[in-house]
Amino acid sequence: MAAPSYRALGFLIRGPGPLWRSLFTLFSKPLCSSAAASRPLDAQRLAEKLRAQKREEKTKKQPVPTNPVQRRVRELVRFTQQLQRVHPNVLAKALSRGILHQDKDLVVISKPYGVPVHGGPGVQLCISEVLPILAKMLHGHKAEPLHLCHRLDKETTGVMVLAWEKEVAHQVQELFRTRQVTKKYWAVTVRVPVPSAGVVDIPIIEKEVQGQQQHHKMTLAPRYRMDNGKMVKVRTSQNAQVAVTRYQVLSSTVSSALLELQPVTGIKHQLRVHLSFGLDCPVLGDHKYSDWNRLAPQKLPGGTLKKLGLQQSKTRYIPLHLHARQLILPPLGFRKEELQLVCRLPRFFVHSLRRLGLGMPNQEENGHNEARPLEAQ
């Protein structure tokens, strides 16, 4: 009996039955696979697979560094980079969990470290970008986006006010502009200011810094200078802006302090400039304003480094220890009384206080602060 012949894929195949079956299997598998690949994926199975992969990644134990400095660096990185490279939905969810106050006009959130308020060059994720998502999480899919009422620096943490309506946002912005909002910040400083309480009233101006890295910084533009022991008035630049900061030491050691700051004005980087260039007590982790001439990691005394568990070569990992602790808003809209908003300190801030031996103040109802050791918490 003659061997059967078949035409497959444009050429003639001759041979016995078993040979044909093997060749058919060989040529048909890719065709079947491509057909299967062209079918739509099962969304539920794909989602389950992705969730399983994420669980595996979380359960994978990374080797624990044996070097104490490496452990400290890893701790700082974990504290400060949690929300800087995440999906917008994840950031919005985190903000919703940290809501400090919510009513029909306002939503007050705790701003996390390292997340900018507005977008710009090199910014992958910012708070303004996730406000539509946050609004939908709070009020459903038909909710209109929330509106920013003010801003905080990227590295600053703490109280941040949002509004449901643009008109309310404008009203709150006007309260900030006319200095009707009481703002209180907490900062850890390198060195202790003298005197322990006072007012820094020195105008601020932006200048270009000449050097290996040309850059711009805010700096002081004082109205007076000392000349042979006498105070002489100086002609200030028209671009200088009035800047006033009240400060008070809440707790201190030989080489560091916890300060409460109350900015009367709202100039860019005002607190950092007044502390660093006015009081010679830069904020811990301020790698921009600790040295006027260069942009470099903050240089710290040996005793401070020892307490923090770091070497000088690793100080670039220290975050800015500046926290918007409290806002007091005057009556607005349906509210007939002032609104006091207080935000807890971030974990890295609390850990640094403990390492430096600084006490955590008790804020009494009469407005006074009484420091107590962190171990008592």
Side-chain angles (χ1 to χ4, degrees):
M1 182 176 177
S5 64
Y6 305 90
R7 293 187 178 275
L9 299 178
F11 57 89
L12 185 64
I13 298 178
R14 293 180 182 274
L19 177 60
W20 155 245
R21 284 193 295 273
S22 62
L23 288 172
F24 178 80
T25 303
L26 176 66
F27 286 106
S28 64
K29 276 186 178 179
L31 296 176
C32 295
S33 299
S34 62
S38 65
R39 292 196 299 268
L41 293 173
D42 188 327
Q44 185 176 356
R45 286 169 54 194
L46 180 60
E48 290 175 356
K49 184 177 179 181
L50 291 174
R51 283 195 290 268
Q53 289 177 351
K54 287 184 178 180
R55 284 195 295 269
E56 287 181 13
E57 291 175 0
K58 287 182 180 180
T59 54
K60 283 182 182 177
K61 292 185 178 180
Q62 298 181 355
V64 178
T66 55
N67 186 305
V69 174
Q70 292 178 348
R71 288 203 300 268
R72 178 60 175 151
V73 168
R74 181 176 172 181
E75 179 186 71
L76 289 173
V77 171
R78 186 177 73 250
F79 282 164
T80 59
Q81 292 188 352
Q82 291 178 347
L83 292 173
Q84 295 182 34
R85 299 182 184 90
V86 298
H87 191 276
N89 289 355
V90 177
L91 176 57
K93 187 68 175 177
L95 296 179
S96 69
R97 289 172 179 167
I99 288 178
L100 307 174
H101 172 82
Q102 184 177 356
D103 57 39
K104 69 175 187 178
D105 288 329
L106 304 175
V107 175
V108 184
I109 62 173
S110 171
K111 181 194 171 296
Y113 177 85
V115 181
V117 175
H118 295 287
V123 175
Q124 298 179 352
L125 183 64
C126 61
I127 289 179
S128 61
E129 180 184 341
V130 303
L131 292 184
I133 304 172
L134 178 61
K136 288 178 172 56
M137 287 181 176
L138 299 177
H139 271 192
H141 292 292
K142 294 184 179 180
E144 294 294 324
L146 286 156
H147 301 275
L148 293 166
C149 296
H150 62 118
R151 63 174 298 168
L152 294 174
D153 291 341
K154 174 182 175 181
E155 295 87 1
T156 304
T157 57
V159 182
M160 188 163 195
V161 182
L162 311 172
W164 286 109
E165 301 292 338
K166 184 174 286 188
E167 180 60 32
V168 176
H170 288 162
Q171 292 176 23
V172 177
Q173 290 165 6
E174 184 65 14
L175 293 176
F176 275 94
R177 191 188 68 80
T178 54
R179 305 176 188 175
Q180 297 183 58
V181 179
T182 300
K183 299 173 285 185
K184 293 183 180 180
Y185 290 72
W186 281 6
V188 177
T189 61
V190 181
R191 295 184 290 275
V192 184
V194 178
S196 60
V199 178
V200 182
D201 183 0
I202 308 176
I204 290 177
I205 190 172
E206 187 171 21
K207 288 185 177 180
E208 184 177 0
V209 181
Q210 302 293 334
Q212 293 181 345
Q213 295 175 284
Q214 284 192 338
H215 58 283
H216 288 80
K217 285 182 180 178
M218 308 301 287
T219 189
L220 302 178
R223 302 186 188 96
Y224 300 89
R225 64 179 174 83
M226 296 300 293
D227 187 5
N228 294 326
K230 295 181 179 180
M231 190 172 288
V232 180
K233 191 169 184 178
V234 178
R235 183 179 179 182
T236 57
S237 170
Q238 292 182 349
N239 296 325
Q241 297 173 286
V242 175
V244 181
T245 302
R246 297 191 181 101
Y247 73 92
Q248 177 187 355
V249 175
L250 301 179
S251 177
S252 66
T253 62
V254 174
S255 57
S256 59
L258 172 64
L259 269 62
E260 181 174 85
L261 308 165
Q262 188 173 337
V264 179
T265 55
I267 308 304
K268 177 183 177 182
H269 297 168
Q270 172 181 321
L271 299 179
R272 297 162 67 181
V273 172
H274 274 173
L275 287 175
S276 186
F277 302 146
L279 296 172
D280 192 30
C281 297
V283 180
L284 179 64
D286 194 342
H287 307 294
K288 182 170 185 175
Y289 289 104
S290 293
D291 189 324
W292 167 256
N293 295 309
R294 60 189 186 133
L295 289 172
Q298 186 178 47
K299 190 157 185 163
L300 296 175
T304 302
L305 288 171
K306 186 176 180 180
K307 289 180 179 179
L308 292 174
L310 291 172
Q311 298 170 349
Q312 180 58 45
S313 61
K314 303 297 182 183
T315 57
R316 66 184 182 274
Y317 294 106
I318 300 177
L320 184 73
H321 286 61
L322 181 61
H323 178 70
R325 170 71 174 175
Q326 184 179 16
L327 282 182
I328 302 177
L329 292 173
L332 177 71
F334 73 96
R335 266 190 307 103
K336 304 304 179 185
E337 64 283 337
E338 66 180 19
L339 180 62
Q340 297 198 29
L341 305 160
V342 179
C343 183
R344 293 176 59 185
L345 295 171
R347 286 186 296 167
F348 72 82
F349 201 115
V350 175
H351 280 225
S352 295
L353 290 177
R354 183 178 293 114
R355 284 177 171 269
L356 293 170
L358 295 169
M360 172 73 77
N362 272 329
Q363 292 209 330
E364 305 294 340
E365 291 183 1
N366 58 12
H368 297 291
N369 294 311
E370 181 182 345
R372 59 184 166 87
L374 283 174
E375 290 75 15
Q377 293 187 92

